[in-house]
Amino acid sequence: MKLGLIGCGNIGQFLLQAINKDGMLPGGKIVSIYTRCEESAVQLAKDFETEAFTDVEALLHSDVDLVIEAATVEAAEVYAIKVLESGKDLLLSSIGVMADSSFEDKVREVCIQKGVNVYLPSGAIGGLDILKSAKAVNGLNTVSITTRKPPGALSGDTLEKETILFEGSAAEAIKLYPRNINVAIVLSLAGLGSNNTKVKIIADPSVIKNSHTIEASGAFGKLKLEIENDPMPNNPKTSYLAALSVLAKLQNKDNYVQVG
């Protein structure tokens, strides 16, 4: 499988190392990359034996089977549809872009027209299988997520005590914290939608790790799941599990037996 990569930040560089250097995707390689910093792209291309492109259009005309978006919600808004319209499958890391229902509808429309697929990794959370199972028979009533992070991973401000920064819907949360709350959107897509998924974001100076508490209720019973994530070593705003979930999605996407 020949892969293209848009975005070479923390997750992008993790994938380059894991796939091109460590061989953690047998039969797969990132052969094309694009990042806004041309100097960085040239160096990364050299280090990881891939080809750097100066624009996304050129990358899409290269010999790739699937494109990984590992940039930002803003980049996903610009490039996701272009990737799909070019006839390439897409793995979307910045899932927050799907909070816009009209954008989600457009993605589905293009996928049907072009016969392509969009893959959404689970990110830094779990429990999606339970929500999808309950939703299958309209048996899901409530879904909420409470995210707790060190202040530096959210606002960057110095706080002396626990502070609730946001309480509302996932649709509202992603507008204010587009780089921090992808987890709420993937939860919404598996469950009740972004307008009906409740979100609470807490900045807590007493913690050093990101944590998420997911609660749901319905015909199946009740769910409460707590996850404490280690951040990426060089970026407290990105959970390590989020990067691992992208790699796992690539490793399992063509399996004949799918779990969950």
Side-chain angles (χ1 to χ4, degrees):
M1 179 166 50
K2 296 178 181 179
L3 305 170
L5 175 64
I6 298 174
C8 295
N10 290 285
I11 291 179
Q13 290 185 43
F14 165 80
L15 294 172
L16 283 165
Q17 178 66 40
I19 295 171
N20 286 20
K21 289 287 189 181
D22 299 338
M24 299 185 74
L25 185 64
K29 183 179 180 182
I30 298 173
V31 298
S32 305
I33 63 172
Y34 166 76
T35 184
R36 288 181 298 177
C37 179
E38 187 173 342
E39 182 179 349
S40 174
V42 171
Q43 186 60 50
L44 289 170
K46 180 180 178 181
D47 292 343
F48 295 101
E49 298 179 352
T50 185
E51 185 175 1
F53 289 86
T54 56
D55 62 79
V56 170
E57 295 291 344
L59 183 147
L60 294 178
H61 284 91
S62 68
D63 185 19
V64 296
D65 306 306
L66 178 148
V67 175
I68 305 163
E69 177 277 317
T72 63
V73 169
E74 293 83 2
E77 288 177 343
V78 174
Y79 300 128
I81 301 298
K82 290 182 179 180
V83 172
L84 298 173
E85 288 179 336
S86 75
K88 312 291 186 184
D89 287 342
L90 172 66
L91 191 153
L92 193 61
S93 174
S94 301
I95 299 172
V97 71
M98 299 291 275
D100 183 343
S101 59
S102 62
F103 186 88
E104 182 185 352
D105 290 342
K106 179 63 175 177
V107 165
R108 296 182 190 277
E109 178 185 329
V110 176
C111 284
I112 293 170
Q113 290 176 347
K114 295 293 184 177
V116 292
N117 298 294
V118 175
Y119 300 96
L120 304 179
S122 57
I125 60 170
L128 302 182
D129 53 343
I130 295 175
L131 299 185
K132 290 189 292 183
S133 297
K135 184 181 176 182
V137 292
N138 296 319
L140 188 61
N141 296 333
T142 65
V143 180
S144 67
I145 181 170
T146 298
T147 291
R148 185 182 299 270
K149 294 186 178 185
L154 287 164
S155 64
D157 296 332
T158 300
L159 299 174
E160 296 183 356
K161 62 180 182 178
E162 173 186 306
T163 303
I164 297 175
L165 298 181
F166 174 85
E167 196 164 6
S169 71
E172 296 167 324
I174 196 66
K175 295 175 183 177
L176 296 174
Y177 299 93
R179 290 175 174 80
N180 293 95
I181 206 67
N182 270 340
V183 289
I185 301 306
V186 72
L187 198 68
S188 302
L189 292 169
L192 296 174
S194 60
N195 288 316
N196 296 311
T197 301
K198 297 179 181 178
V199 175
K200 182 185 290 186
I201 303 174
I202 301 172
D204 188 345
S206 70
V207 303
I208 59 174
K209 297 182 180 181
N210 304 333
S211 68
H212 306 285
T213 301
I214 299 165
E215 297 182 82
S217 66
F220 69 94
K222 292 184 178 180
L223 162 71
K224 185 172 183 179
L225 176 64
E226 295 183 349
I227 306 166
E228 186 177 87
N229 295 323
D230 286 327
M232 295 286 284
N234 55 347
N235 186 351
K237 294 186 177 182
T238 303
S239 293
Y240 188 34
L241 187 58
L244 294 175
S245 74
V246 176
L247 179 61
K249 178 61 71 174
L250 290 168
Q251 291 174 331
N252 293 289
K253 84 173 197 67
D254 292 328
N255 285 357
Y256 290 109
V257 178
Q258 297 280 339
V259 179

